[in-house]
Amino acid sequence: MGLYRGNLLFKVKDIVRANNVRIFSTNMQLYAAMNKRVTNILRKSVAHVENYSIDESFCYLDGYERLYNLEDFMMDIADRIKLCTDIPVSVCVAPSKTLAKMGSKFAKKYKGYRSVCMIDNEEKRRKALSMFELADIWGIGR
């Protein structure tokens, strides 16, 4: 529709009216409490977790591949988060934050990933990069 996060309502009022868009206020206290639950699950599972925003975290998995199948490991964590919070999460295991954010979008969009996308080789990296417009790549575009 042409609406983006951070749009000023008065600038997009015609789009809002034409498409019968509904606007709701947020419950930031609830959102923060749910974030805390998710973060606690992550921190109990992974030694190094970086909270990027209220709804995004990066988990550093260096060395975990020697102990676990990373896809299964992260799928278990995603399942635990869903069970304990009723929040579906999308995960990507990748060598960089940029690729992880891209793969997380794939994991959310394509149900076949079952919440976890792996970008763990050059072929998958190239395919992921080819599926995004440069302007839409976090840390690079816009």
Side-chain angles (χ1 to χ4, degrees):
M1 280 189 268
L3 298 175
Y4 299 95
R5 179 177 32 175
N7 282 141
L8 299 175
L9 188 56
F10 76 90
K11 289 187 176 183
V12 294
K13 67 181 176 198
D14 294 336
I15 296 172
V16 169
R17 283 190 190 123
N19 292 283
N20 202 26
V21 173
R22 299 287 181 235
I23 299 169
F24 300 93
S25 63
T26 60
N27 183 340
M28 287 308 290
Q29 285 181 314
L30 175 62
Y31 206 62
M34 297 306 285
N35 168 266
K36 189 173 183 178
R37 290 182 190 178
V38 171
T39 299
N40 285 338
I41 293 167
L42 291 174
R43 289 185 190 276
K44 287 178 182 175
S45 305
V46 178
H48 184 170
V49 177
E50 175 189 343
N51 287 339
Y52 177 69
S53 67
I54 197 162
D55 65 351
E56 287 184 286
S57 296
F58 294 103
C59 297
Y60 293 86
L61 302 175
D62 292 341
Y64 282 71
E65 71 282 353
R66 291 189 296 263
L67 303 170
Y68 305 100
N69 171 301
L70 292 181
E71 186 172 7
D72 292 340
F73 179 69
M74 294 310 295
M75 211 170 285
D76 286 345
I77 293 171
D79 289 345
R80 201 168 330 130
I81 291 169
K82 175 75 170 131
L83 179 68
C84 294
T85 66
D86 204 32
I87 297 172
V89 295
S90 57
V91 176
C92 178
V93 176
S96 72
K97 290 178 182 179
T98 298
L99 288 171
K101 285 183 70 75
M102 294 170 71
S104 178
K105 289 181 182 182
F106 294 137
K108 186 180 295 182
K109 184 175 181 179
Y110 302 109
K111 298 299 177 201
Y113 282 114
R114 297 185 11 228
S115 298
V116 179
C117 174
M118 298 289 293
I119 301 178
D120 54 358
N121 63 43
E122 181 65 13
E123 180 183 346
K124 290 178 183 179
R125 184 186 72 81
R126 287 182 178 275
K127 183 174 181 182
L129 289 170
S130 74
M131 295 177 74
F132 275 80
E133 293 293 324
L134 186 60
D136 294 332
I137 298 176
W138 175 80
I140 296 172
R142 276 188 261 166

